[in-house]
Amino acid sequence: MGPSHLCFPPTRDAGLARLADFAPRAGRAYAAGRNIDDGPENEGAISRLSPYVRYRLITEREIVAAVLSRHDLPAAGQFVREVLWRTYWKGWLEMRPAVWSRFLEERDQQRQEFSDVRALADAEGGATGIEGFDDWARELVATGYLHNHARMWFASIWIFTLRLPWTLGADFFLRHLLDADAASNTLSWRWVAGLQTVGKTYLATTDNIARCTNGRFAPKGLAEVAVALTEAPVPPAREVPSLARPVTGEPSMLLVSHEDLHPESLLFPEVPIAAALVVVDGGLLWGEGARAFVASAAADTATRLAAHFACPVEIATRFDAAALLAAARAAGVRQIVTPSAPVGPVAEALAAIAPILRQDGIELVPMRRSWDDRFWPEAKKGFFALNQCIPALLRDEGLS
Ligand SMILES: Cc1cc2nc3c(=O)[nH]c(=O)nc-3n(C[C@H](O)[C@H](O)[C@H](O)COP(=O)(O)OP(=O)(O)OC[C@H]3O[C@@H](n4cnc5c(N)ncnc54)[C@H](O)[C@@H]3O)c2cc1C
């Protein structure tokens, strides 16, 4: 058992406790210290809330509300902006789903074709001889977490010093991060590689690493230039898909996936919930650590839902149209409501199931949070454009 900041108990209460503990430090202390990675044994200035918010055991809105109840927006601006980077990446990918499909195709192709198996194994196993890089590889595998700056240095060294395919590095992260996320991970790797902001790369340097690790590491022999990778142009952004609203007053079944494990804060009272089904499909996650986290977090969610909606709640291990139909019939409902899933495997599973259910007279209705509805359309351009809207959109959300 390591230090408590490296343990991520998979319950909403544990996420809320971490948030309550961190909120007093979310102001200038965070802004001053967030770039320093002084090692896994030290708590550092960051929140380590990412696994909780990734699966929405606690929501972005709750995090920002807790922080703004202790600090004004200018003081907590840096932290709020970081939370909104997550929102920005989700919105950006929602409008460009082809970038996710492209990543998957290229990753699968590289898995087949990349022949320097030894170099790949050394990089993943922490055996390259590059100070810091090897430590972060081992830290990631051991803890399921890496500091943001370490993720940036690691990705930069992977791409520009070791010259390994970026998609295999992103895949390594997906398989080990507890917070593994289609949008934040893929788009951050693309950003380091110079694909996301076309031509603008991130170069890890010895000086920066030494300064921001408090002298723990000063790797030698790093690439001195980072020439941007190139690709075919990204298809133009679509609008954030609009969603039909559920029929109010219609008794409904609630379907929950690991993309949003706090549906109590999403559903409005006009939809009576007669039953709930929490699907924990490990095949739609990438790593063992994330699977274990989600399995327990989903059980925590099922317990909460039974109390909140006073209805029967079951847990299933697959998105299966026949099982959903049977559950809806048993509950006597024709409407299934579900927190809308962002671009990724769950969204694909739901898109495949919806037409099958419709044939049998059951409507699957995804519902999106007002947070996503407000912020996602602002991710059409760069983060700067969204950043300009933060005070106004937080006011619209009833915050600040
Ligand atoms: C190459 C690379 C891969 C990444 N992969 C993921 C991933 O798979 N999943 C993931 O959640 N984050 C990812 N990030 C973003 C970021 O590193 C983590 O969210 C952050 O380190 C989590 O630690 P924390 O909760 O202590 O963050 P804090 O600094 O305390 O920030 C609070 C919250 O804001 C969000 N956040 C902070 N920084 C970022 C950022 N740069 N981009 C997006 N959201 C951010 C997270 O939800 C985080 O929990 C990646 C970054 C890089 C450079």
Side-chain angles (χ1 to χ4, degrees):
M1 186 84 134
S4 65
H5 60 266
L6 281 179
C7 299
F8 298 91
T11 64
R12 174 167 159 78
D13 282 350
L16 288 174
R18 185 163 289 199
L19 174 59
D21 178 57
F22 170 75
R25 295 180 274 125
R28 303 201 197 284
Y30 174 83
R34 69 172 286 271
N35 278 332
I36 304 299
D37 178 8
D38 49 6
E41 59 286 352
N42 294 307
E43 196 172 1
I46 48 83
S47 72
R48 289 192 169 83
L49 283 168
S50 56
Y52 299 99
V53 66
R54 155 66 180 93
Y55 305 106
R56 280 191 160 158
L57 261 182
I58 59 176
T59 64
E60 293 85 338
R61 190 183 189 286
E62 281 179 301
I63 294 176
V64 172
V67 164
L68 291 182
S69 72
R70 319 269 315 207
H71 313 270
D72 59 20
L73 188 53
Q78 182 73 47
F79 182 75
V80 170
R81 264 193 301 283
E82 294 306 329
V83 174
L84 282 164
W85 264 104
R86 169 179 164 76
T87 304
Y88 171 75
W89 288 138
K90 299 301 283 181
W92 194 96
L93 196 61
E94 203 63 25
M95 291 188 272
R96 299 156 183 94
V99 170
W100 172 244
S101 323
R102 183 185 287 187
F103 160 69
L104 293 176
E105 278 164 28
E106 208 176 310
R107 177 201 64 179
D108 292 347
Q109 194 182 340
Q110 290 289 0
R111 276 180 176 166
Q112 300 280 326
E113 291 175 3
F114 186 70
S115 57
D116 198 345
V117 182
R118 176 74 196 274
L120 197 58
D122 284 351
E124 293 196 358
T128 65
I130 301 176
E131 201 180 307
F133 182 92
D134 288 347
D135 302 78
W136 299 316
R138 288 193 292 266
E139 183 182 335
L140 171 63
V141 172
T143 68
Y145 178 86
L146 273 188
H147 188 285
N148 180 60
H149 222 161
R151 298 185 199 203
M152 290 164 62
W153 296 319
F154 187 92
S156 179
I157 294 170
W158 179 286
I159 297 168
F160 300 115
T161 299
L162 297 173
R163 299 188 163 275
L164 293 168
W166 77 269
T167 52
L168 296 185
D171 183 56
F172 176 52
F173 270 25
L174 281 182
R175 284 184 281 116
H176 292 284
L177 284 170
L178 287 185
D179 62 32
D181 182 85
S184 287
N185 190 60
T186 312
L187 304 183
S188 298
W189 274 86
R190 284 173 53 85
W191 176 81
V192 171
L195 296 168
Q196 190 63 18
T197 308
V198 176
K200 188 176 175 295
T201 52
Y202 174 74
L203 181 67
T205 65
T206 306
D207 282 356
N208 179 256
I209 292 172
R211 194 170 58 253
C212 294
T213 60
N214 287 339
R216 286 185 306 128
F217 305 120
K220 301 283 178 300
L222 300 187
E224 286 174 7
V225 285
V227 178
L229 307 187
T230 56
E231 64 176 351
V234 166
R238 67 176 186 185
E239 296 297 320
V240 174
S242 53
L243 300 178
R245 289 177 72 79
V247 179
T248 55
E250 177 78 25
S252 303
M253 190 170 95
L254 170 62
L255 175 64
V256 178
S257 79
H258 64 253
E259 294 291 1
D260 195 320
L261 291 173
H262 194 241
E264 313 86 297
S265 62
L266 165 65
L267 292 162
F268 46 93
E270 290 86 353
V271 182
I273 298 298
L277 184 68
V278 181
V279 178
V280 195
D281 187 340
L284 304 184
L285 291 152
W286 300 279
E288 284 311 317
R291 277 185 203 115
F293 183 91
V294 162
S296 300
D300 178 65
T301 298
T303 307
R304 287 194 333 267
L305 293 181
H308 185 88
F309 293 111
C311 72
V313 181
E314 291 198 9
I315 297 186
T317 52
R318 258 173 12 98
F319 285 98
D320 177 71
L324 266 177
L325 275 175
R329 289 215 179 94
V333 304
R334 285 174 304 168
Q335 177 166 265
I336 302 178
V337 290
T338 189
S340 86
V343 166
V346 173
E348 283 160 33
L350 294 178
I353 281 175
I356 305 172
L357 296 180
R358 189 167 302 133
Q359 277 174 0
D360 277 84
I362 309 271
E363 210 51 44
L364 178 63
V365 188
M367 296 171 67
R368 191 181 292 130
R369 290 179 181 275
S370 64
W371 183 271
D372 299 338
D373 270 334
R374 278 186 223 291
F375 284 103
W376 281 3
E378 306 302 330
K380 268 219 175 75
K381 299 188 191 144
F383 183 78
F384 182 73
L386 182 141
N387 191 31
Q388 303 282 80
C389 309
I390 291 177
L393 295 182
L394 288 181
R395 260 195 311 279
D396 294 347
E397 269 288 304
L399 301 172
S400 95

